Amino acid sequence: MTQEELERVAAAVGCIEARLGEPLNLTAAAQEARYSKYHFHRLFAAAAGITPHSYIRRRRLTEAARRLVFSREPVVEIALTAGYQSQQAFASVFRGMYKRTPGEYRREGFFYPLQLPLRLREASVPPEAPTGEIRRVAPCDIPAWMELLTQVIDGFPRLREDTHRQALARAAAEGEALLLWDRNAAVGAAVFSRRKGYIELLTAHPQYRRRGVTRALLRFVAEKELPGRPLRITTFRAGDPADTGQWEDYRRLGFVDAGPGVQFGYPVQQMVLPFRGGAL
């Protein structure tokens, strides 16, 4: 995408964010970007990794979840603000995404987002390049890592920022955390365990999900850190409505299903990348 296209999509994101509590159709967002609905839909999906409709729904549900935890508003009022005509319709969609009813989520008292506001990077030159350098995470890199995390939070349900930061510090100290950089910004990340042969995190900024970032990080781990070993990872189960494409992305990388599981109270799919003796 060109810089002009990114700026137009960013303007549409700003329009969406300013009007999350109002009726908003995609025509208004497309007009803000000065594109036809079709062209806007295509460019938005390329930049965000999901469709505009999915982005709006996930943002509204995230803000509804925030209000469930941090306010005493009736669920029906939160449902209406989130764009649902009834509490029942809201509860059905909310449970599909959060795996808890709104009441259960409120009683648990732990807010975690499905989708945080999208922040787009400047266009890379050349745009088709898969990016640059992979480096081990140093303490000075942790702010950049946490900034990236806000843009890939959709891939990590029930993630707690405080415990994640602590786990990252331990992984960095062991040399088991990697960042892939595009100029001065972190655009991909991986955490792995040498002892377990396990990849705990593998992700890329939405703009880079079709740019070979996760494949480059996976190749680095497979060839330099865990050579000759099968690699394991967990992600969403197939068909989970909260999945924005991670399960399919891992399948494209060569992972195969290895049975269902539960992680941090969330239903997940265990996957394994068999060692085949060849390059990824």
Side-chain angles (χ1 to χ4, degrees):
M1 295 177 67
T2 67
Q3 185 60 32
E4 180 183 359
E5 289 172 330
L6 286 171
E7 289 174 357
R8 291 196 192 184
V9 173
V13 171
C15 174
I16 291 169
E17 291 296 328
R19 299 169 60 183
L20 277 179
E22 306 172 17
L24 176 65
N25 57 44
L26 295 183
T27 300
Q31 289 174 344
E32 185 70 25
R34 306 195 307 280
Y35 287 123
S36 68
K37 285 179 65 176
Y38 170 79
H39 198 51
F40 170 68
H41 186 281
R42 183 177 65 82
L43 287 175
F44 188 99
I50 55 177
T51 66
H53 179 270
S54 180
Y55 178 84
I56 293 170
R57 181 179 64 174
R58 294 172 68 87
R59 285 291 297 122
R60 284 176 167 168
L61 286 171
T62 291
E63 295 310 310
R66 190 191 306 275
R67 291 163 67 189
L68 284 169
V69 171
F70 298 114
S71 82
R72 295 187 177 183
E73 293 177 77
V75 174
V76 64
E77 291 184 11
I78 294 174
L80 293 172
T81 303
Y84 294 89
Q85 297 301 310
S86 70
Q87 182 172 330
Q88 291 76 18
F90 168 69
S92 176
V93 175
F94 189 93
R95 184 170 186 173
M97 299 292 271
Y98 274 99
K99 307 301 179 280
R100 285 154 176 74
T101 67
E104 290 168 340
Y105 188 90
R106 170 169 271 175
R107 287 191 294 273
E108 189 176 65
F110 163 44
F111 167 70
Y112 61 94
L114 293 168
Q115 182 78 46
L116 292 172
L118 178 67
R119 290 190 292 275
L120 298 175
R121 294 261 295 117
E122 293 181 1
S124 294
V125 181
E128 69 277 5
T131 69
E133 178 185 14
I134 296 175
R135 300 201 306 258
R136 298 186 195 282
V137 173
C140 62
D141 297 324
I142 290 179
W145 180 292
M146 299 306 293
E147 169 64 22
L148 175 61
L149 187 68
T150 68
Q151 299 301 288
V152 299
I153 201 76
D154 57 294
F156 306 99
R158 296 185 60 77
L159 186 142
R160 292 179 180 264
E161 184 176 320
D162 54 348
T163 56
H164 177 81
R165 187 185 289 269
Q166 294 167 6
L168 171 61
R170 291 193 296 269
E174 295 293 329
E176 296 180 338
L178 305 170
L179 279 174
L180 191 151
W181 298 82
D182 179 19
R183 293 171 292 178
N184 63 343
V187 298
V191 173
F192 61 93
S193 168
R194 295 189 187 92
R195 182 174 62 85
K196 299 177 182 177
Y198 184 78
I199 297 178
E200 298 180 7
L201 182 149
L202 180 65
T203 192
H205 187 285
Q207 284 174 256
Y208 291 75
R209 285 179 181 167
R210 295 295 178 264
R211 298 265 301 276
V213 168
T214 51
R215 186 174 294 277
L217 286 163
L218 183 62
R219 183 182 297 116
F220 187 99
V221 174
E223 295 178 359
K224 298 181 181 298
E225 302 294 342
L226 301 171
R229 299 173 63 180
L231 304 179
R232 296 182 297 113
I233 199 168
T234 58
T235 188
F236 295 95
R237 294 181 185 178
D240 188 330
D243 182 14
T244 57
Q246 286 82 6
W247 180 83
E248 186 59 40
D249 286 345
Y250 293 152
R251 296 274 291 186
R252 290 194 193 99
L253 290 170
F255 285 91
V256 296
D257 294 346
V262 176
Q263 193 172 58
F264 306 114
Y266 195 95
V268 296
Q269 178 68 46
Q270 301 174 92
M271 305 185 83
V272 62
L273 180 68
F275 174 68
R276 298 189 177 96
L280 290 167

